[in-house]
Amino acid sequence: MIIDFIYFQILIVILLVMLFASTFRILREYQRGVIFLLGRFYKIKGPGLILVIPFVQQMVRVDLRIITMDVPSQDIISKDNVTVKVNAVLYFRVLDPQKAIINIENYLEATSQLAQTTMRSVLGQHELDEILSARDTLNADLQRILDQSTDNWGIKVSAVEIKHVDLDESMIRAIARQAEAERSRRAKVIHATGELEASKQLLEAARMLGKQPEAIQLRYLQTLTEITNDNSKIIIFPLPLEFGKMLQSPNQPQILDPKSPLAASLNDDTPDIT
């Protein structure tokens, strides 16, 4: 009988020690405790050493650090009816532990499902070229929509980043052909622009040579010098345009321009008959 009483006392002491130990909780700097008193919200405690009355109060730990969540790959039909697979990464944190525990059953699962549906909805409103090139704008739109939707849950979405856009092989070949055609179009535009600028320069040069006929003769001599430097056996000698006019109609007298170099040379070679 005495032994049973001693055992009973030891059991009571152990229970009291365990009860006393469970009364004190330690929360880290990035943790908060949502306290419920008889099932009703009481207050938020932490960090550090806090007191929780057993059987009367219950505590739920909430992590306040930024959570990195991988959004699974989603099949999206773009605005121009192209099927792509897009995955992203989501960064968010809990700002209000009370709302995160009371207003939503599982804020992690809810945020993940909301990110998937929002990504399909937003990206489906854009064409494929915008999805591939305007990622910064799409990321900002996704972050804004998710932040507004999760505000009632006490969650702050800080960033959304589209990681990878997976295309079909046929679509990759089509994009390659489109890029090649675009490069060909740019090359033609550049070539046409160069021809236009060259024609303007040639027109200006023709005007300058027309003012000084002697410059044309110097140009002929320079061309002949460049030709003779070549080792070719064929030498092309440029002739003035007046020779061509004379050869076209040899039976008709030709009236030369008195200002042309040819007329000046003929005047110099003609003997003075008195």
Side-chain angles (χ1 to χ4, degrees), residues 63-71 89-95 100 106-112 115 143 146-147 150 153-160:
D63 197 327
L64 302 184
R65 293 177 294 180
I66 294 179
I67 300 174
T68 303
M69 178 177 292
D70 184 35
V71 181
V89 59
L90 178 66
Y91 300 91
F92 67 96
R93 62 188 296 262
V94 177
L95 288 182
N106 188 339
Y107 64 88
L108 294 175
E109 181 66 23
T111 303
S112 176
Q143 186 270 335
L146 289 174
D147 190 32
T150 58
W153 302 345
I155 294 176
K156 170 65 177 177
V157 178
S158 57
V160 180

